[in-house]
Amino acid sequence: MKLPTPKLPTWREVGVEARLLLIGIPVFLWTMIPIYHMFLFAISPKEDAFSGKLWPAHPTLNNFRIVFHQEHYFLRDFWIQFWNSIVIALAAGALTLLIATAAAFAISRLKVPGGRWVMNLALFTYFIPAAFLAVPMYRTMGNYGLLNNHWSLILAMVTIASPYAIWVLKQASDKLPVELDEAATMDGATIPQLFRLVYVPLMMPSLVAIGTYAILLAWNEYLYAFLLLSKDTEITLPVALGNFLAADDSPWELLMTTGFIYALPPAAIYYAFKRYMVGGLTAGAVKS
C-alpha cells in the first residue's frame, strides 16, 4: 500500500510561523528573565547574591530551609501569613463565584426587571481605578468595625472582582439555548432545580475560570491588604514581604526565596485550569 505523501507547508504558512516566533521568543524571554533572577537569588548564598553571574558558584537550598523553619526575624510568622493568604483568597473566590453566578442567572435566564441597569452599573465601576477606592473602603470597614479582620479584605476583594465576574458569566449565559430552560420547566423543574441541574453544569468552564480569576486577584493583592490589616499574625504574605525592605541591610536572598515560594501556588492553579481560563474568560467576549 502506497503511503500518502506528506503535505509540505506553504511559504505563507512558514512566514506566519516565523513572525509568531519573532514575537513570541522575545516575549517569553522578557517574562522568564525576572523569574530566573528570583530563582537565582533563592539558591545563592548572601555573599553571592549580587555577584552578577548567570549561575551561583556555590548554589544552596539553605535559603529555603531558613524560610520553612522561620529562622529569620522577618519570617517568624511565615506559615501563619501564608495560611492567611490561602484563607482570604479561597473565601474571596467562593463568595465572588456565588454572587456572580446567582446574579448572572437572574439577569440572563430569569430576565429580572432592572437587570440591564445592574450590568451597566457593574461595568461603570471599572471606570474608577481600584486604588482610588482604597481610602473610602478603609473608612467603610472602620465604620463597621472590620479593620484588622480578614473579612474586611475578603469583602473588599469580592467588591472589586464581582462586577467583572457578573459581566463575563452573563455573556456566557446568554449563549446557552433558552429551549433547555423551557424543556426543564415543562418537565416540572423549579427555579432552584433549573439553576442546579441545568445552569451550573453547562456553565462549569466559565465558573472555573471566574473562580480562578477571583482567587488569583485576592492572592496577589497588596494595597488593600496593607491598609486593612496590620497585625503580624493577621496580614497576608505580600504585606509581610514589604517588611523586608524596611531594614537597612535587607536579606534579598530570603526575600526572593519567599517570593518564589509564594508564586508557586498561583502558577500551579493557572496551569491546572488554563484550558478553562482561556475558554471561560473569552466565552462572552464575542456574542453570536
Side-chain angles (χ1 to χ4, degrees):
M1 184 176 64
K2 185 178 180 180
L3 295 176
T5 304
K7 183 181 177 181
L8 296 175
T10 64
W11 284 108
R12 183 174 182 177
E13 292 173 340
V14 172
V16 171
E17 290 290 334
R19 285 194 293 270
L20 289 175
L21 286 175
L22 287 175
I23 297 172
I25 292 175
V27 171
F28 175 78
L29 293 176
W30 183 264
T31 304
M32 293 304 298
I33 286 175
I35 298 175
Y36 175 73
H37 276 286
M38 181 185 294
F39 177 70
L40 205 63
F41 269 87
I43 61 172
S44 298
K46 185 172 184 177
E47 57 274 11
D48 294 342
F50 292 96
S51 62
K53 297 179 180 178
L54 292 177
W55 189 256
H58 306 286
T60 178
L61 296 178
N62 186 56
N63 295 328
F64 289 90
R65 183 189 62 79
I66 294 174
V67 173
F68 289 145
H69 290 85
Q70 306 179 131
E71 295 179 357
H72 191 276
Y73 174 76
F74 292 134
L75 296 167
R76 63 190 184 280
D77 296 312
F78 169 78
W79 288 113
I80 294 176
Q81 293 158 354
F82 193 86
W83 176 249
N84 292 340
S85 297
I86 293 175
V87 170
I88 290 171
L90 292 179
L95 277 177
T96 300
L97 199 56
L98 178 63
I99 293 170
T101 305
F105 177 74
I107 296 170
S108 176
R109 316 306 289 184
L110 302 183
K111 307 295 183 183
V112 295
R116 186 180 183 88
W117 281 98
V118 172
M119 287 297 303
N120 291 335
L121 289 174
L123 291 178
F124 178 76
T125 60
Y126 277 89
F127 286 98
I128 306 173
F132 289 2
L133 301 176
V135 174
M137 189 74 72
Y138 178 86
R139 291 288 302 275
T140 301
M141 295 302 175
N143 291 337
Y144 286 99
L146 291 176
L147 289 179
N148 217 26
N149 186 302
H150 286 172
W151 278 107
S152 63
L153 184 55
I154 292 170
L155 295 175
M157 291 295 96
V158 172
T159 302
I160 295 172
S162 291
Y164 176 72
I166 293 172
W167 181 79
V168 170
L169 292 182
K170 193 266 182 186
Q171 298 301 317
S173 178
D174 286 345
K175 291 187 174 184
L176 300 180
V178 180
E179 291 77 12
L180 293 175
D181 296 2
E182 295 173 349
T185 302
M186 291 180 64
D187 288 339
T190 61
I191 290 178
Q193 289 174 329
L194 184 66
F195 176 80
R196 181 170 55 89
L197 301 176
V198 177
Y199 181 75
V200 171
L202 292 174
M203 289 286 291
M204 192 55 66
S206 294
L207 296 181
V208 173
I210 287 300
T212 305
Y213 155 77
I215 289 173
L216 296 182
L217 182 70
W219 182 265
N220 294 319
E221 179 57 35
Y222 177 83
L223 176 60
Y224 282 85
F226 177 78
L227 288 176
L228 301 175
L229 304 174
S230 57
K231 289 183 181 178
D232 287 343
T233 55
E234 298 292 337
I235 62 176
T236 57
L237 201 54
V239 178
L241 290 176
N243 294 333
F244 280 81
L245 304 178
D248 294 332
D249 185 19
S250 298
W252 287 97
E253 73 286 354
L254 298 181
L255 172 62
M256 294 300 175
T257 303
T258 309
F260 184 81
I261 294 170
Y262 193 69
L264 293 179
I269 291 173
Y270 174 78
Y271 280 104
F273 299 111
K274 64 179 179 181
R275 65 189 183 98
Y276 291 107
M277 291 290 290
V278 175
L281 291 178
T282 59
V286 179
K287 190 176 176 181
S288 57

